[in-house]
Amino acid sequence: MWDKQVQLLMRDYPYDSVMATVVLDQGYAYLLTAMRHRGERLGLAPSTLVDISVHTVILDTVTYLQLCERFNGGHFLHHVPEVDAKDDGSVLRTADLIDADGWEVDWSLWTDAAKCAPCHPGSDSH
């Protein structure tokens, strides 16, 4: 699954294998953190770059369902996008939580914090 998703990122974006791997790693850290904090209604949000890898993961629906079953208590982490982005600090709060949960954060991928916001504020959806 990992290799296929890295290849998809390289196919669809101007990434080499190193960049695709780093972006995908951050996407998984985001998703697994969101799953770990299910029910807390934190309004987590990825940066624009991390969101690219999140979409790559969730569009691989078979693998994504298995991920949700294994790490989210069998609950599907839905994607409910909002149209308007706002600068509310949620992206950097999300990166801080990912870091606090023990994931290595590549801060360079989280610097566009003003360009994204909770896709579905106050819910467990992405």
Side-chain angles (χ1 to χ4, degrees), residues 27-97:
Y28 270 101
Y30 165 78
L31 286 169
L32 293 171
T33 298
M35 290 175 185
R36 180 171 186 227
H37 293 276
R38 180 172 55 90
E40 295 178 29
R41 303 177 65 84
L42 299 174
L44 302 179
S47 68
T48 302
L49 286 172
V50 175
D51 197 45
I52 288 169
S53 66
V54 169
H55 289 178
T56 298
V57 172
I58 67 176
L59 289 173
D60 183 357
T61 58
V62 172
T63 301
Y64 184 59
L65 178 61
Q66 292 170 348
L67 186 75
C68 289
E69 288 173 345
R70 183 171 178 192
F71 295 103
N72 203 33
H75 300 275
F76 196 76
L77 181 64
H78 291 280
H79 181 265
V80 184
E82 291 288 323
V83 174
D84 295 325
K86 54 188 175 278
D87 183 6
D88 67 355
S90 54
V91 172
L92 289 179
R93 283 193 306 273
T94 298
D96 286 339
L97 182 61

Side-chain angles (χ1 to χ4, degrees), residues 101-120:
D101 276 4
W103 299 100
E104 186 172 333
V105 173
D106 184 330
W107 293 100
S108 69
L109 298 180
W110 294 86
T111 58
D112 64 341
K115 298 180 182 174
C116 195
C119 291
H120 195 234

